[in-house]
Amino acid sequence: MTRHGRVAVFAVGAVGLAALLAWGFGGLPPIGEPSRYGVELTRLSLAARQVQNAVSGVNFDLRATDTLIEELILVTAATGVTVILRRLRDEYEQPVEEREPLRPRPQPVSEPVRAVALGLVGPVLVAGLALIAHGHLTPGGGFQGGALVVIGALVGVLGGRAYLLPWRGSVAVAEAAEGSGALAIMVLGSVGVLAGGAFLQNVLPVGSLGSLTSGGLVALISLAVGLAVTAGVALVVRAFLAEALAIRRIRGEDASA
Amino acid sequence: MIAVQAIALLLVAAGAAGVVATRDPLCQALVVGVYGLLLTVLFVVLQAPDVALSQLFVGGVLVPALVLLALDKTRSPP
């Protein structure tokens, strides 16, 4: 296609997109003013479900089916990464003691950086777990908390502790944990069916607003999502880390040594 | 508040342009991390703390980290 042809096709698409966006934005409420939908969702979360964080009320209760499908997407994505980055026949994974802690290229990790990174591991892990546990009360939840837990481990690796990169056997544990998290959402959802309601209906006692035991299903699904996301993101990050730190080609050894 | 929102939006627009204009993938991994932080600020300003947290962790840390690791793998001897 000639340059003029490409520009013409782009122009048609751009004009169409601009028109659609203008039409769509025109129908939005002004920034800062919640729509009727938003007001109603907040009222439902606070009054009917005793969920202080209305966003989690939406994610883990009012549209919990979407969240379940999102977890299945994450499982699929992590499986895909694991398959693509699997150890090939001509590759081997260096045992921990042979690994260089983030190869000194171009410069070794400086002591202050390592000290700060290692000092951050504990607080970051605790913050991640707190986010998972308080999804129904404060901003955050299973997804954000799960990601933060993995970041805590990643910071430890950046601090030069390559042995924090989990051993190969832990991959099976993480895969089981990821599947268990997604399965737990389905089990929790079927409670609603057994109670005579709908799948993922919040039939558990909702407690009182602001307490740790409030929200019924919301807090439990946040925990299940936390498990699935922690394991899923850990699998993906672990696969990338292993490729960079530990997977070496068997034939290439002599050439690089 | 409108002024703060406008500034945050402009910073995000500038950051996005910066990501596209950066040619070296290594620099781009860092620029995209900064862009993730700018988006986080925007979401906080727009009073969406849940989304801001997701953006901070995924856009600010995990995506740049995965890009860096991928670059390290492709640029190192096999």
Side-chain angles (χ1 to χ4, degrees):
Chain A
M1 192 183 275
T2 63
R3 187 177 164 78
H4 283 296
R6 278 200 300 268
V7 171
V9 171
F10 167 76
V12 172
V15 170
L17 180 66
L20 280 174
L21 282 176
W23 182 44
F25 284 139
L28 287 175
I31 286 182
E33 280 180 33
S35 63
R36 274 211 330 259
Y37 187 58
V39 172
E40 189 60 21
L41 288 175
T42 313
R43 194 190 62 76
L44 254 179
S45 284
L46 289 172
R49 302 287 208 266
Q50 305 292 315
V51 174
Q52 192 168 285
N53 179 13
V55 178
S56 285
V58 172
N59 281 339
F60 302 141
D61 183 351
L62 302 176
R63 43 142 271 186
T65 312
D66 301 54
T67 302
L68 170 62
I69 295 170
E70 283 171 9
E71 290 330 305
L72 295 178
I73 291 172
L74 182 70
V75 171
T76 313
T79 309
V81 170
T82 311
V83 169
I84 291 173
L85 296 183
R86 70 192 180 284
R87 193 168 47 87
L88 299 176
R89 212 169 302 161
D90 62 342
E91 290 177 338
Y92 77 106
E93 185 163 333
Q94 287 178 317
V96 174
E97 54 273 15
E98 281 180 28
R99 281 180 208 154
E100 308 143 68
L102 285 188
R103 273 158 292 160
R105 221 172 1 90
Q107 280 181 345
V109 182
S110 70
E111 283 302 315
V113 170
R114 289 177 50 157
V116 171
L118 292 176
L120 276 173
V121 174
V124 171
L125 287 179
V126 171
L129 294 175
L131 277 182
I132 295 175
H134 298 92
H136 54 309
L137 299 173
T138 50
F143 179 79
Q144 294 91 334
L148 193 54
V149 168
V150 178
I151 289 173
L154 185 60
V155 168
V157 176
L158 294 183
R161 293 294 182 266
Y163 57 76
L164 282 176
L165 176 66
W167 72 105
R168 280 182 55 78
S170 68
V171 171
V173 177
E175 281 166 351
E178 188 192 23
S180 307
L183 182 68
I185 301 175
M186 293 187 230
V187 172
L188 288 167
S190 49
V191 172
V193 178
L194 292 175
F199 184 63
L200 284 166
Q201 188 176 336
N202 195 349
V203 293
L204 301 174
V206 291
S208 60
L209 191 68
S211 77
L212 195 61
T213 52
S214 65
L217 202 59
V218 174
L220 295 176
I221 292 191
S222 178
L223 291 177
V225 168
L227 181 65
V229 170
T230 303
V233 178
L235 279 174
V236 172
V237 171
R238 198 262 170 207
F240 274 74
L241 273 174
E243 280 290 333
L245 290 179
I247 304 260
R248 297 289 174 264
R249 193 163 287 172
I250 292 171
R251 280 175 309 173
E253 260 205 315
D254 294 334
S256 63
Chain B
M1 203 58 202
I2 297 288
V4 179
Q5 288 172 352
I7 293 171
L9 271 170
L10 284 175
L11 284 175
V12 166
V19 175
V20 177
T22 309
R23 305 308 298 176
D24 176 34
L26 187 62
C27 294
Q28 209 170 22
L30 300 177
V31 177
V32 86
V34 175
Y35 173 60
L37 293 182
L38 291 174
L39 271 178
T40 306
V41 171
L42 176 68
F43 293 148
V44 170
V45 169
L46 293 178
Q47 301 182 30
D50 285 82
V51 192
L53 282 172
S54 299
Q55 178 58 37
L56 180 62
F57 301 150
V58 174
V61 182
L62 289 175
V63 167
L66 292 185
V67 172
L68 282 177
L69 287 170
L71 284 176
D72 182 80
K73 180 68 176 179
T74 53
R75 290 177 178 188
S76 64

